[in-house]
């Protein structure tokens, strides 16, 4: 897919500036939606007691994920290098099928559209979609 | 045949009763043309699609957005036979318009996002699941007559 230009990076950073403080809320919502709308993703969490929206494990993990995305925003100039460790984690330990990154990205965008209806313009949307695709690519680096 | 639960039927109909196709349609179509610019290949006759503002205010995009949403509304009226309802539309998209069916999914994702922004917290995960199931069925029916 296409790499991020300066306009994309600025749009992503500007939009993501609204997120700090809301990581758990956004992450829990995105994760809940993913588990509800794409039930096949539940297979990765068979070790959790409670997969319902807003459960403690969903909230905690949602926050972890969104904080991770925030970190990636900070490393937006070199995602592949910056996310090396996370890529190894997803490739060798978690072994998440990369198709699921797209699914989670979609749900993240839905949550952002709901949380920031005015700011999530088509222009912001395309920059974030490109960024999340690049992020997924960086996470998939170590898979094979 | 697609099985709909009572919750899904009620939810899908409620959403379409609430939204304005003249607002959601154009918003979703213009968003699709901006976020996935390769989809512009099907709209060569629409005039100026040069940037997001041009797309947003293009009268052809606005008119066609409503046509698309009205098409989805027809499927809502025929939830138990979307495949038959869309048979002609599928032939049209395949033979005359020659649209790659992968694009239907892209537009469907934009419809989800626009409806989510409109409904806000009423667009719960369960509502989203029902709505996206409906869109997936519509997308599948639209691709059925391709050969």
């Amino acid at each position: 897919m296409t790499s991020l230009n300066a306009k994309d990076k600025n749009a992503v950073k500007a939009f993501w500036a609204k997120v700090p403080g809301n990581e758990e809320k956004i992450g829990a919502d995105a994760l809940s939606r993913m588990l509800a709308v794409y039930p096949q993703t539940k297979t990765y969490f068979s070790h959790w007691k409670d997969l319902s929206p807003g459960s403690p494990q969903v909230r905690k993990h949602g926050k972890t994920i969104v904080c991770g995305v925030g970190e990636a925003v900070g490393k937006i100039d070199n995602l592949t290098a910056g996310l090396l460790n996370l890529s190894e984690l997803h490739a060798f330990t978690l072994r998440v099928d990369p198709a699921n990154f797209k699914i989670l990205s979609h749900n993240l965008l839905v949550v952002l559209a709901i949380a920031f209806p005015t700011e999530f313009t088509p222009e912001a949307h395309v920059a974030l979609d490109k960024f999340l695709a690049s992020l997924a690519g960086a996470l998939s680096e170590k898979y094979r | 045949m697609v099985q709909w639960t009572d919750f899904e039927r009620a939810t899908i109909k409620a959403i379409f009763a609430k939204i304005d196709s003249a607002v959601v349609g154009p918003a979703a179509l213009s968003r699709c043309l901006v976020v996935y610019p390769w989809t512009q290949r099907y709209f060569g006759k629409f005039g100026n699609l040069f940037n997001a503002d041009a797309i947003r205010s293009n009268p052809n995009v606005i008119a066609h957005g409503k046509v698309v949403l009205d098409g989805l509304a027809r499927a809502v009226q025929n939830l138990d036979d979307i495949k038959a309802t869309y048979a002609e539309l599928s032939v049209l998209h395949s033979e005359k318009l020659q649209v790659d069916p992968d694009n239907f999914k892209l537009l469907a994702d934009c419809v989800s996002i626009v409806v989510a922004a409109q409904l806000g917290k009423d667009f719960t995960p369960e509502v989203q699941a029902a709505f996206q199931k409906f869109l997936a069925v519509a997308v599948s029916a639209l691709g059925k007559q391709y050969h």
Side-chain angles (χ1 to χ4, degrees), chain A residues 19-100:
Chain A
V19 169
N22 297 310
E23 289 90 343
E24 187 180 296
K25 183 163 151 277
I26 290 172
D29 198 0
L31 200 53
S32 302
R33 284 170 193 281
M34 185 186 81
L35 296 168
V37 181
Y38 304 87
Q40 70 270 23
T41 58
K42 292 196 283 192
T43 56
Y44 290 97
F45 304 100
S46 51
H47 56 290
W48 283 4
K49 226 175 8 165
D50 185 358
L51 286 168
S52 57
S55 84
Q57 278 163 320
V58 169
R59 285 207 319 269
K60 178 165 178 274
H61 197 60
K63 183 174 183 195
T64 302
I65 292 173
V66 172
C67 287
V69 175
E71 263 189 59
V73 173
K75 299 175 179 172
I76 204 169
D77 289 318
N78 195 342
L79 286 170
T80 312
L83 298 174
L84 219 50
N85 292 334
L86 270 178
S87 181
E88 288 182 352
L89 176 74
H90 284 76
F92 303 131
T93 312
L94 304 175
R95 286 179 291 196
V96 177
D97 186 324
N100 294 289

Side-chain angles (χ1 to χ4, degrees), chain B residues 54-87:
Chain B
I55 291 170
R56 206 187 331 260
S57 54
N58 183 309
N60 291 313
V61 172
I62 294 169
H64 196 64
K66 183 170 186 305
V67 165
V68 169
L69 247 286
D70 287 343
L72 285 174
R74 258 196 314 128
V76 175
Q77 298 312 312
N78 295 284
L79 278 179
D80 290 313
D81 208 356
I82 295 181
K83 198 161 64 166
T85 307
Y86 274 7

Side-chain angles (χ1 to χ4, degrees), chain B residues 4-21:
Chain B
W4 302 102
T5 65
D6 290 340
F7 172 80
E8 285 165 347
R9 267 180 215 277
T11 298
I12 293 160
K13 287 185 191 284
I15 290 176
F16 274 80
K18 221 187 225 175
I19 60 175
D20 182 355
S21 60

